[in-house]
Amino acid sequence: ILPAIEQGDIVILDRFWWSTVVYGQLNNVNTDVLARLIKVEQCCWGKTRPKKVFHFKRSTSLKKDLNNEDWNVVSALYDKLAITKKKCGFDC
């Protein structure tokens, strides 16, 4: 991915470290462990930052193994993360 970005190619990802945060929180991953996982992922990305983040909202999950209650939690966690990151300069 990084070489393509460095060449000026457009790269669209359906996941980013945000998913690690959200699903880690949903599954009660230890906050210190989760923070370290995110730090490693961000380290791998280096100075590369997304130019645009698309935050799509759905009323139900596309994942068959996610019940409605968990989906509502996931959706709320993504909303909260998007608001937080928008304040930090992410273009959401």
Side-chain angles (χ1 to χ4, degrees):
I1 294 171
L2 290 176
I5 292 171
E6 289 167 2
Q7 287 181 176
D9 292 343
I10 295 172
V11 175
I12 300 174
L13 300 174
D14 67 338
R15 296 289 173 135
F16 194 51
W17 61 262
W18 289 22
S19 297
T20 306
V21 170
V22 167
Y23 285 94
Q25 290 173 338
L26 175 70
N27 291 291
N28 297 311
V29 172
N30 176 286
T31 53
D32 290 335
V33 171
L34 191 54
R36 289 172 191 223
L37 288 169
I38 299 308
K39 195 166 229 162
V40 167
E41 198 164 339
Q42 290 173 333
C43 181
C44 291
W45 281 106
K47 294 183 179 188
T48 302
R49 299 287 181 267
K51 296 207 187 245
K52 186 72 173 175
V53 175
F54 296 93
H55 176 206
F56 295 100
K57 295 183 66 119
R58 296 183 44 84
S59 58
T60 59
S61 174
L62 294 173
K63 294 177 77 171
K64 303 276 188 231
D65 62 334
L66 201 60
N67 64 43
N68 284 340
E69 183 178 331
D70 284 346
W71 174 248
N72 290 334
V73 172
V74 165
S75 186
L77 289 169
Y78 270 115
D79 289 346
K80 182 179 175 185
L81 188 56
I83 290 167
T84 302
K85 292 302 167 189
K86 192 167 194 170
K87 290 178 184 175
C88 295
F90 271 80
D91 185 11
C92 303

